[in-house]
Amino acid sequence: LLSRQSIDGNTSFFATWFHPGDQISVHANARIGEQDRHLAIIVHLARDWDAAWGGDLVFLDRSTPHHVHPTFNTATIFRVKGGKRFHFVTPVIAAAPRHAKRLALSGWFT
């Protein structure tokens, strides 16, 4: 197991498409209703995404923020149980080309 814990609850997944100006503010993903979330996963589906266009996943649990660039066909999996894994997505800049799509499939395991 990646998390070294049993994950036998529900899963929840959704797709995202970030347009210029879109971002996600700082959050921790620890709970949904009465249920604790254990792991979050983001499958990056943005082909040929340029880091200059923004849309980075940024973790704040270190002394220096850690940026994860949305690289096509990669996954970011991280523990969220306990609510201490604060993160956000930087804004996609207005100058990002119209053909560029910052796509991802995201979800949680409970």
Side-chain angles (χ1 to χ4, degrees):
L1 281 179
L2 290 172
S3 65
R4 295 189 176 141
Q5 64 190 35
S6 175
I7 300 173
D8 55 7
N10 297 321
T11 59
S12 174
F13 284 89
F14 60 95
T16 57
W17 178 357
F18 286 78
H19 298 274
D22 289 348
Q23 63 185 338
I24 297 179
S25 60
V26 175
H27 61 286
N29 290 336
R31 293 183 67 80
I32 182 166
E34 295 297 315
Q35 202 166 31
D36 286 329
R37 293 172 173 165
H38 294 281
L39 289 178
I41 182 170
I42 302 166
V43 179
H44 305 282
L45 301 172
R47 288 187 186 268
D48 303 318
W49 190 259
D50 189 319
W53 301 335
D56 280 1
L57 171 65
V58 182
F59 291 99
L60 299 173
D61 55 342
R62 300 177 181 177
S63 60
T64 303
H66 175 72
H67 286 249
V68 176
H69 179 67
T71 303
F72 180 72
N73 204 28
T74 63
T76 302
I77 302 170
F78 54 101
R79 188 173 180 187
V80 295
K81 187 174 181 180
K84 297 178 183 172
R85 202 75 203 264
F86 289 95
H87 56 284
F88 66 97
V89 175
T90 61
V92 173
I93 66 166
R98 293 181 64 91
H99 72 275
K101 295 181 180 177
R102 202 288 197 184
L103 304 171
L105 179 65
S106 304
W108 301 276
F109 297 92
T110 58

